[in-house]
Amino acid sequence: MSSVLTKTLWKVDPTHTEVQFKVRHMVISTVTGSFQQFDAAAETEGDSFENASIRFSADIDSLSTGQTDRDNHLKSPDFFDAPSHPKLEFVSSSLVHAEGDQYILTGDLTIRGTTQPVKLEVVYGGIQTDPWGFTRAGFEVSGKISRKSYGLLWDVVTEAGAVVVSDEVRLLINIELVKQG
């Protein structure tokens, strides 16, 4: 007799989630930015996250690096072009268990109207029931993308030949999901 697993919906808890990116500046330091407004959901078979279907989006206007002038430049047509492309979006194609608490998440990331496949590393933090009876799952997601492959092409080279903003962008997302229903 086969059993049918129930689809389970999980939604992001924005108060316990951080969405960050890190970019090298002039080769000598790193600038960290974050998105303050975002949405994410996962659909699983029961409580198993293997093969989960995951969707994520972030509002470009919520981008913050702690410097207003830099934030405005990043939202401009030189980079994200927030007026024309107000969101970045990710849709998973697979979440596969690698070993221990590690998974590989693949999917399509769309930034500035350009969609590229990405592969991200995921560390599963586990599932807990909070004091109010809600079931929560935690994850740390990391990876690297090329900003230029998404059309974020602005660049300046210093007199010494150093690139002001690196092409490589490191992603770091600490996310907590809450089981619905």
Side-chain angles (χ1 to χ4, degrees):
M1 179 180 219
S2 65
S3 62
V4 176
L5 291 176
T6 304
K7 295 276 186 193
T8 303
L9 179 63
W10 301 78
K11 292 203 146 241
V12 68
D13 175 354
T15 61
H16 295 101
T17 297
E18 298 174 326
V19 179
Q20 297 181 322
F21 59 91
K22 295 179 179 287
V23 180
R24 298 286 292 173
H25 179 253
M26 296 184 60
V27 186
I28 60 171
S29 66
T30 299
V31 171
T32 301
S34 63
F35 291 96
Q36 306 301 308
Q37 299 294 316
F38 46 83
D39 191 29
E43 189 176 83
T44 62
E45 296 283 343
D47 287 349
S48 172
F49 281 89
E50 191 160 4
N51 297 316
S53 173
I54 300 164
R55 296 182 79 74
F56 171 84
S57 66
D59 295 342
I60 300 301
D61 270 336
S62 75
L63 178 151
S64 175
T65 64
Q67 298 292 324
T68 302
D69 288 343
R70 179 172 48 216
D71 295 348
N72 289 337
H73 189 207
L74 289 171
K75 294 173 193 179
S76 80
D78 283 344
F79 287 96
F80 285 101
D81 193 9
S84 299
H85 305 282
K87 290 187 182 290
L88 66 80
E89 298 178 309
F90 173 82
V91 178
S92 71
S93 55
S94 71
L95 179 63
V96 179
H97 183 247
E99 64 179 338
D101 60 358
Q102 298 178 19
Y103 289 75
I104 302 297
L105 175 61
T106 57
D108 291 327
L109 178 62
T110 302
I111 299 174
R112 197 180 161 134
T114 299
T115 302
Q116 299 281 333
V118 294
K119 184 183 287 188
L120 304 169
E121 297 176 8
V122 178
V123 177
Y124 175 50
I127 292 179
Q128 291 289 329
T129 302
D130 69 21
W132 301 273
F134 294 102
T135 302
R136 297 173 173 271
F139 303 88
E140 183 175 288
V141 181
S142 61
K144 297 176 185 176
I145 62 169
S146 159
R147 70 177 173 88
K148 291 180 180 179
S149 70
Y150 291 94
L152 284 72
L153 303 175
W154 183 90
D155 218 344
V156 172
V157 178
T158 67
E159 286 182 20
V163 175
V164 173
V165 180
S166 71
D167 178 40
E168 181 181 277
V169 178
R170 291 180 288 148
L171 307 174
L172 181 58
I173 302 168
N174 287 294
I175 186 166
E176 198 168 293
L177 297 172
V178 180
K179 187 177 186 179
Q180 304 298 295

